[in-house]
């Protein structure tokens, strides 16, 4: 192989360009996963199948696929088979919007589901309301989706951050104390959760401090040093995904779990699985839990998901499942695919037990289109018996109680003329 | 407050030591092969996952010993098949290749081990802090620093006193003369690449023990290493060493006063260094130039 011995030297500018490109990696869109066939009713799903949220997004996709199979077994929607088209948003707003447009314009989908990333979900909602397509946000949590940015065609399955905060805050204040330190990811979701907690803590006369942490920070030691200097009773860890895993691991390795409690809103089963036993600690909210003795259909759903994924069903599986099942149920009930009448019917729609998979009959609240789903407040612990038995539900809080009145959400739904 | 600053400086040095380990590998490859190895973070992740895969059979210590050379072997194969044909071309070719490689490794690990992060257990006695006052210095982090120091010492000894090291240094200065003296330059570059990837693999195992494993973790760790090289100065390994420690301490200190800017401060430092001294702090001298 001929090789020149005097290669072009790498200069500083090339390195700088490289640096800029490294930063761009996170926004690039590597590939698209598609599931296609020749079936008439199409549901488009946009989720970040690659990137930092890949694990939870793939969980939603697995649940949605299973739901589509179930719906088809029972005759589909209006007698037509359902086809699920899955697109990767690559955790990027521009890509998410472009994929949504493509699904609606080119693939002619009747419904849209997504995204895990709240920023993308809100941007997608602008497209779907403009195009008049019924849209279910499966897993994006920030309040504005069913609050100040709510829309007639957008419904949400996962909780709002306010619901999660409200459900757990009083437990934390009662059981653990009123001096808190926040470890908060520096973007919309983190700010939203922290301000929710702050409001409740101030009302209870508590004190707090906190660090805003850039997403993707590889090492949390510096922030934990600040936290320890404040000597809080509770460290509120709002970090998500891999960031939460890394920060909790370091928290426990530093022995801080013996000096303060740790708690927060979400510590999803996917994340609990990713930490070693020692870091399976703290008080958290689970938005759905696979082990609900006595609640109908839960065990069957869990068994079915276990067959597909190899492990117990997660909240993300249920988000995807419920999103697709909701669309099928409402379309079959109203016998139409037209978004406006469907959205009107879905406002106030109560989920039947085989879709709800939880106590009671949660409904999509008419005032803000938020599903009034039970919030499972409890404690994480190392696996006992079943490898996925790593969370003990202490108090299930009904959705209505956690959500508070509609007026507080700031949502005013404008229906199209 | 003084104590807090002292804590953060010490902590910054520990974090910086880790960046150094990764940046040294990157720097080695850059100096001799002129390849801006974008896939370095990918090799780090690979090292971590290999350790995860073999831990059940050989234990943590076995994995620590075996995973880095296994990663280096993969690096060697990649160098032979993909990178070697690009030597002598514009560095952009190598950059684009490794850029693509980074994606392939990330998606490859995701395909093999799943998108969900993996817990990596370390021996219990390492997962303890030294004392409740020095809570942020765990035995594991101390051990990590020792490994980094040993690795750096070995690397510098290798470069200074062994035939291979002397040839690598000579090749960095004047590859043509080295070739004219009858030294197999291809082999030299391969070995040099393997040493660099060995360091990436070692970083991966160490990072996995502290932070857990995730297919995307390489990207987050790659950026500080690039900055360390630029701040320290291209072509200078001691510069890379100082650069890594400096950005670690700077990020730590910033987190006391303005936590949200602790990442941005690294870039600000880079900008300041580039404006005041474009070749980097030690870009002029050092054993590699």
């Amino acid at each position: 192989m001929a090789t020149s011995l005097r290669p072009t030297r790498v200069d500083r500018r090339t390195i700088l360009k490289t640096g800029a490109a490294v930063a761009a990696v996170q926004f690039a869109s590597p590939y698209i996963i598609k599931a296609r066939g020749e079936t008439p009713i199409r549901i488009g799903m946009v989720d970040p199948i690659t990137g930092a949220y890949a694990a939870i997004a793939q969980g939603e996709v697995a649940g949605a696929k299973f739901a589509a199979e179930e719906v088809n077994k029972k005759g589909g929607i209006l007698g037509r088979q359902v086809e699920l088209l899955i697109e990767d948003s690559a955790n990027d707003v521009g890509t998410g919007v472009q994929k949504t447009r493509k699904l609606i314009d080119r693939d002619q989908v009747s419904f849209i589901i997504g995204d895990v990333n709240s920023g993308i979900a809100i941007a997608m909602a602008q497209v779907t309301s403009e195009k008049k397509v019924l849209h279910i946000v499966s897993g994006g949590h920030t309040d504005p989706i069913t609050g100040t940015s709510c829309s007639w065609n957008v419904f949400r399955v996962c909780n709002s951050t306010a619901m999660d905060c409200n459900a757990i805050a009083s437990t934390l204040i009662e059981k653990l104390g009123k001096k808190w330190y926040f470890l908060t990811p520096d973007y919309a979701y983190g700010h939203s959760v922290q301000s929710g907690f702050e409001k409740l803590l101030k009302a209870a006369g508590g004190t707090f401090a906190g660090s805003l942490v850039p997403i993707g920070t590889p090492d949390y030691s510096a922030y934990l040093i600040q936290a320890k200097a404040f000597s809080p009773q509770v460290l509120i860890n709002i970090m998500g995904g891999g960031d939460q895993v890394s920060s909790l691991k370091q928290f426990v390795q530093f022995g801080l779990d013996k000096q303060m409690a740790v708690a927060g809103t979400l510590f999803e089963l996917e994340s609990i699985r990713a930490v070693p036993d020692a870091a399976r600690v703290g008080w958290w909210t689970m938005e759905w839990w696979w082990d609900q003795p006595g609640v109908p259909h839960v065990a069957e759903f869990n068994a079915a998901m276990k067959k597909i994924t190899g492990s117990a069903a997660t909240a993300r599986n249920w988000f995807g499942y419920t999103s697709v099942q909701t669309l099928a149920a409402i379309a079959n009930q109203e016998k139409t695919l037209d978004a406006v009448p469907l959205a009107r019917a879905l406002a106030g729609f109560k989920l039947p037990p085989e879709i709800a998979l939880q106590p009671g009959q949660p409904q999509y609240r008419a005032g803000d289109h938020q599903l009034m789903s039970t919030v499972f407040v409890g404690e994480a612990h190392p696996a006992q018996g079943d490898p996925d038995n790593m969370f003990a539900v202490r108090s299930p809080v009904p959705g209505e109680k956690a959500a508070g009145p509609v007026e507080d959400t700031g949502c005013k739904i404008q229906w199209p003329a | 407050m003084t104590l807090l600053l002292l804590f953060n400086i010490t902590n910054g040095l520990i974090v910086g030591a880790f960046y150094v380990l990764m940046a040294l590998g990157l720097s080695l490859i850059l100096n001799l092969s002129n390849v801006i190895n974008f896939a370095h973070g990918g090799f780090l992740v690979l090292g971590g996952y290999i350790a995860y895969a073999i831990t059940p059979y050989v234990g943590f210590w076995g994995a620590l010993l075996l995973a880095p050379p296994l990663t280096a072997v993969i690096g060697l194969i990649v160098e032979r098949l993909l990178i070697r044909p690009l030597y002598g071309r514009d560095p952009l070719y190598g950059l684009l290749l490794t850029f693509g490689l980074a994606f392939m490794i990330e998606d490859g690990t995701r395909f093999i081990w799943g998108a969900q992060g993996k817990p990596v257990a370390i021996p219990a006695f390492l997962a303890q802090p030294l004392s409740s006052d020095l809570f942020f210095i765990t035995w594991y982090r101390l051990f990590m620093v020792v490994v980094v120091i040993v690795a750096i010492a070995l690397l510098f000894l290798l470069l200074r006193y062994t035939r291979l090291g002397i040839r690598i240094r000579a090749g960095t200065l004047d590859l043509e003369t080295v070739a004219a003296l009858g030294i197999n330059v291809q082999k030299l570059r391969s070995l040099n690449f393997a040493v660099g990837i060995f360091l990436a693999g070692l970083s991966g195992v160490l990072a996995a023990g502290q932070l857990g494993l995730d297919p995307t973790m390489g990207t987050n760790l790659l950026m500080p290493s690039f900055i360390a090289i630029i701040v320290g100065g291209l072509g200078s390994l001691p510069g890379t060493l100082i650069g890594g420690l400096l950005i670690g301490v700077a990020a730590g200190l910033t987190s006391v006063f303005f936590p949200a800017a602790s990442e941005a401060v690294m870039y600000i430092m880079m900008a300041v260094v580039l404006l005041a001294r474009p070749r980097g702090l030690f870009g002029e001298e050092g054993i590699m130039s």
Side-chain angles (χ1 to χ4, degrees), chain A residues 19 201 262 277 359 390:
Chain A
L201 185 63
V262 61
D277 268 351
M390 295 189 286

Side-chain angles (χ1 to χ4, degrees), chain B residues 3-71:
Chain B
L3 189 69
L4 194 61
L5 289 180
L6 213 60
F7 273 12
N8 269 293
I9 292 172
T10 319
N11 185 56
L13 287 173
I14 298 176
V15 176
F18 181 78
Y19 293 155
V20 168
L21 190 63
M22 199 173 165
L24 279 179
L26 207 56
S27 197
L28 266 181
I29 294 171
L30 181 66
N31 291 343
L32 188 71
S33 311
N34 291 303
V35 173
I36 302 171
N37 186 17
F38 243 98
H40 213 66
F43 283 109
L44 174 142
V45 173
L46 213 52
Y49 272 100
I50 290 174
Y52 169 79
I54 62 177
T55 301
Y57 310 102
V58 296
F60 173 77
W61 300 106
L64 186 68
L65 281 178
L66 290 176
L70 286 174
T71 317

Side-chain angles (χ1 to χ4, degrees), chain A residues 1-12 14-26 28 30-31 49-52 54-55 58 181 186 210-226 228-229 241-243 245-246 249-250 252-256 258-259 269-271 273-276 280, chain B residues 4 7-8 11 15 19 30-31 34-36 38 80 84-85 87-92 95 99 103 106-107 110 115-122 127-129 132 135-136 138 140-141 172 174-176 179 185-186 189 208-212 214 216 219-223 226 230 234 252 255-256 259-260 262-263 270 274 278-279:
Chain A
M1 214 170 302
T3 307
S4 158
L5 293 175
R6 264 189 201 283
T8 328
R9 291 297 301 186
V10 177
D11 64 5
R12 185 167 47 87
T14 314
I15 299 272
L16 288 178
K17 284 178 203 159
T18 308
V22 176
V25 171
Q26 299 159 30
Y31 60 76
I49 300 162
T50 55
Q58 289 177 9
Y181 192 90
D186 195 5
S211 294
L212 284 177
V213 184
I215 317 179
T217 296
D219 190 286
Y220 292 83
S221 46
Y223 305 104
L224 293 173
I225 290 174
Q226 320 310 330
K228 157 102 176 176
D243 290 347
V245 170
S246 302
K249 261 195 97 160
Q250 283 197 312
V252 174
Q253 286 179 5
F254 289 178
L256 294 178
K258 293 173 190 79
Q259 299 169 34
L269 183 53
E270 286 87 348
S271 299
R273 284 175 186 150
V275 297
R280 289 167 177 153
Chain B
L4 194 61
F7 273 12
N8 269 293
N11 185 56
V15 176
Y19 293 155
L30 181 66
N31 291 343
N34 291 303
V35 173
I36 302 171
F38 243 98
R80 180 68 192 83
R84 192 177 287 185
Y87 287 142
R89 296 208 193 186
D90 190 283
L92 278 174
L95 190 150
F99 187 82
F103 278 122
E106 185 184 317
D107 274 323
R110 195 175 281 140
Q116 195 165 291
K118 297 285 180 200
V120 178
I122 54 175
Q128 310 272 338
S132 59
F135 64 96
F136 63 96
T138 59
Y140 186 80
R141 297 185 100 204
T172 307
D174 188 348
L175 202 58
E176 208 164 48
V185 171
Q186 304 282 25
R189 277 175 163 163
Q210 188 179 213
L211 306 166
D214 187 297
T216 58
T219 324
N220 297 338
L221 290 166
L222 184 62
M223 218 45 221
F226 267 116
I230 296 169
L234 286 186
S255 70
V256 181
S262 60
E263 195 186 5
M270 182 173 83
L274 285 172
R279 60 164 65 99

